């Protein structure tokens, strides 16, 4: 039987980052996952460290948008009719937290995390030898119509108080930045503060290797076997059981399996998403991630090829994949950029862990000694993993925290 100071459950970007920050502060850490590092939700995303995403993805309020989604033929959103009884209560809470006043509160609470997201990544990347994976090229929102561009300009104005650099591109400016995009686009917005990662899965693996170099351990095991006894927190692994004084639940969309069991119910929802890689035809190059706002999908240059990513699918977390959004997006994407053959035979699917107020949980369990939480990062797990890992480690070690953690309490619901 092994013993350690802290057991971190979940080897996605959130759990790996928390483990590193704790190990750096003198805690002996064991990181546990049923799979390898970065092989679940953290593997599939747009690869953005979203330094400009101050305002969250709120529930739509325009009637036309709601009717379009209700028809279930959209590219950017899809739902399983059979899952609605389970999903609908969460969607109602999500909608209630998407009023202009509530979005403003969420943005204010998220800004201290967003503000430091890139600098925290850069520090870890430098230490992990992963800096070549980072591309400080920003990303582009491309608009097909003057109407959608006008709405984008309104959103740009909302970001002005945060000191972010967002360039407005006309059709010629867009072509200068991305020469292989189709002609006829109305324009775009180039968000310069974010950075892009060419292989998110490889980045998480590099961080996990850094943890081991710092003296931590990575083991395979069943996080859901967690129990507390007189010796501490115990979990089953492929070898012997591990007992720790403290445990961090960083299981992303599976976190509520433990929070519910230990009496900390949270309204954790899941937005499933898909991606598939494609080769570029001829000499075509995509320089940075590009969101087709009107088309409802995003293209991102990755080590594996051009990654086509979808919006949100509302379904039961463990339901079989239904990648209809990829099928809907692909013809549009091929008209926007010269995509060639698919690299993989079928799309990848993952689940984003989402709370209705669009903020993560970074907190301790008030009724259990040594129980901590770090989950619910919605669309921004890659963005926020290192910065929330730092905040959690500061809380656990009694250091002054770089920001007030109150907005991320688990009992706020």
């Amino acid at each position: 039987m092994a013993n350690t100071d802290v057991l971190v459950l979940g080897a996605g970007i959130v759990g790996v980052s928390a483990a590193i920050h704790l190990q750096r502060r003198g805690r002996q850490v064991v990181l546990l996952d049923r799979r390898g590092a970065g092989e679940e939700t953290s593997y599939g995303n747009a690869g953005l460290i979203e330094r400009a995403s101050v305002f969250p993805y709120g529930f739509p309020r325009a009637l036309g948008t709601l009717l379009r989604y209700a028809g279930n033929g959209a590219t950017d959103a899809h739902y399983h009719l059979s899952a609605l009884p389970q999903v609908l209560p969460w969607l109602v809470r999500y909608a209630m937290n998407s009023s202009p006043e509530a979005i403003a509160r969420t943005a204010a609470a998220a800004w201290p995390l967003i503000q430091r997201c890139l600098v925290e990544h850069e520090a870890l990347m430098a230490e992990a030898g992963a800096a070549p994976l980072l591309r400080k090229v920003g990303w582009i929102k491309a608009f097909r119509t003057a109407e959608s561009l006008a709405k984008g300009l309104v959103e740009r104005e909302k970001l002005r108080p945060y000191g972010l650099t967002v360039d407005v591109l006309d059709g010629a400016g867009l072509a200068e930045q991305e020469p292989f995009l189709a002609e006829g686009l109305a324009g775009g917005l180039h968000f310069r503060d974010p950075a892009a990662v060419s292989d998110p899965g490889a980045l998480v693996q590099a961080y996990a290797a850094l943890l081991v170099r710092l003296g931590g351990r990575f083991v395979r095991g069943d996080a859901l076997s967690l129990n507390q006894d007189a010796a501490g927190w115990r979990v089953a692994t492929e070898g012997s059981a591990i007992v720790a004084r403290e445990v961090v639940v960083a299981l992303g969309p599976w976190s509520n399996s433990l929070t519910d069991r230990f009496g900390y119910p949270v309204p954790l929802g899941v937005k499933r998403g898909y991606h598939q890689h494609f080769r570029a035809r001829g000499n075509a190059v995509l320089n940075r991630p590009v969101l087709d706002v009107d088309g409802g999908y995003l293209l991102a240059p990755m080590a594996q090829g051009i990654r086509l990513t979808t919006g949100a699918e509302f379904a039961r977390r463990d339901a079989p994949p239904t990648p209809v959004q990829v099928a809907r997006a692909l013809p549009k994407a091929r008209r926007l950029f010269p995509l060639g053959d698919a690299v993989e035979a079928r799309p990848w699917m993952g689940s984003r862990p989402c709370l209705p107020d669009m903020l993560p949980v970074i907190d301790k369990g008030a009724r259990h000694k040594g129980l901590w939480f770090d989950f619910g990062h919605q669309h921004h797990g890659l963005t926020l993993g290192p910065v929330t890992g730092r905040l959690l480690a500061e809380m656990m070690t009694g250091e002054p925290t770089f920001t007030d953690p109150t907005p991320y309490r688990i009992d706020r619901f």
Side-chain angles (χ1 to χ4, degrees), residues 19-372:
I20 290 173
H21 278 287
L22 286 162
Q23 186 74 29
R24 273 178 169 171
R25 286 163 172 77
R27 299 295 174 89
Q28 189 61 43
V29 178
V30 172
L31 177 68
L32 180 141
D33 201 290
R34 63 183 178 181
R35 299 181 65 181
E39 293 187 7
E40 296 278 7
T41 305
S42 295
Y43 173 76
N45 54 72
L48 288 172
I49 302 174
E50 238 303 42
R51 176 65 171 70
S53 187
V54 182
F55 296 95
Y57 298 98
F59 189 87
R61 303 177 74 79
L63 179 59
T65 303
L66 291 172
L67 291 175
R68 180 168 63 88
Y69 288 161
N72 213 20
T75 302
D76 51 342
H78 177 67
Y79 62 88
H80 288 188
L81 187 62
S82 62
L84 281 184
Q86 176 183 352
V87 174
L88 193 57
W90 186 90
L91 287 175
V92 170
R93 297 186 71 159
Y94 180 32
M96 292 172 61
N97 281 279
S98 297
S99 68
E101 298 79 14
I103 290 289
R105 289 193 298 270
T106 294
W111 176 239
L113 305 178
I114 296 293
Q115 192 173 23
R116 292 197 57 86
C117 67
L118 182 53
V119 68
E120 295 292 344
H121 259 293
E122 288 183 298
L124 289 188
M125 286 181 185
E127 194 173 358
L133 296 174
L134 184 69
R135 302 181 66 232
K136 300 180 79 169
V137 293
W139 67 289
I140 286 176
K141 278 187 177 182
F143 301 92
R144 294 174 179 265
T145 68
E147 180 184 7
S148 61
L149 175 58
K151 292 178 181 177
L153 293 175
V154 171
E155 295 302 310
R156 175 178 181 260
E157 284 303 305
K158 290 170 61 178
L159 292 173
R160 190 178 294 276
Y162 297 92
L164 300 168
T165 302
V166 186
D167 294 344
V168 180
L169 307 174
D170 59 12
L174 191 55
E176 182 179 350
Q177 295 293 331
E178 297 293 343
F180 291 93
L181 292 185
E183 297 179 357
L185 295 167
L189 295 176
H190 185 186
F191 295 82
R192 291 190 173 274
D193 297 273
V197 175
S198 62
D199 191 335
L203 179 65
V204 180
Q205 291 165 14
Y207 286 175
L210 171 61
L211 171 69
V212 173
R213 290 200 300 273
L214 291 173
R217 295 174 56 205
F218 177 63
V219 301
R220 301 287 184 95
D222 179 11
L224 301 187
S225 69
L226 181 70
N227 275 296
Q228 187 182 34
D229 59 26
W233 293 95
R234 183 185 303 269
V235 70
T237 74
E238 291 181 346
S240 59
I242 290 179
V243 178
R245 290 191 295 107
E246 296 179 288
V247 64
V248 177
V249 176
L251 292 171
W254 297 274
S255 297
N256 59 345
S257 298
L258 292 181
T259 57
D260 288 352
R261 192 208 308 170
F262 288 103
Y264 302 88
V266 291
L268 185 67
V270 167
K271 295 182 188 178
R272 305 202 313 180
Y274 298 83
H275 81 232
Q276 192 169 13
H277 295 103
F278 296 85
R279 298 177 180 89
R281 292 205 310 267
N283 65 342
V285 174
L286 191 68
N287 296 312
R288 57 186 57 78
V290 175
L291 173 66
D292 182 349
V293 174
D294 302 280
Y297 62 91
L298 183 142
L299 295 177
M302 294 283 177
Q304 301 92 333
I306 305 298
R307 181 176 289 186
L308 169 64
T309 72
T310 69
E313 180 181 65
F314 296 95
R316 291 182 174 88
R317 183 192 63 203
D318 300 321
T322 52
V324 297
Q325 290 163 284
V326 173
R328 292 170 184 167
L330 186 53
K332 302 177 185 178
R334 285 198 159 124
R335 290 192 293 270
L336 179 72
F337 181 85
L339 293 177
D341 295 334
V343 174
E344 308 100 343
R346 60 181 62 86
W348 174 93
M349 186 199 79
S351 300
R352 309 176 185 99
C354 301
L355 292 158
D357 64 354
M358 295 155 280
L359 290 170
V361 165
I362 315 294
D363 200 5
K364 62 181 178 181
R367 297 185 301 278
H368 294 79
K369 184 178 179 180
L371 177 61
W372 296 85

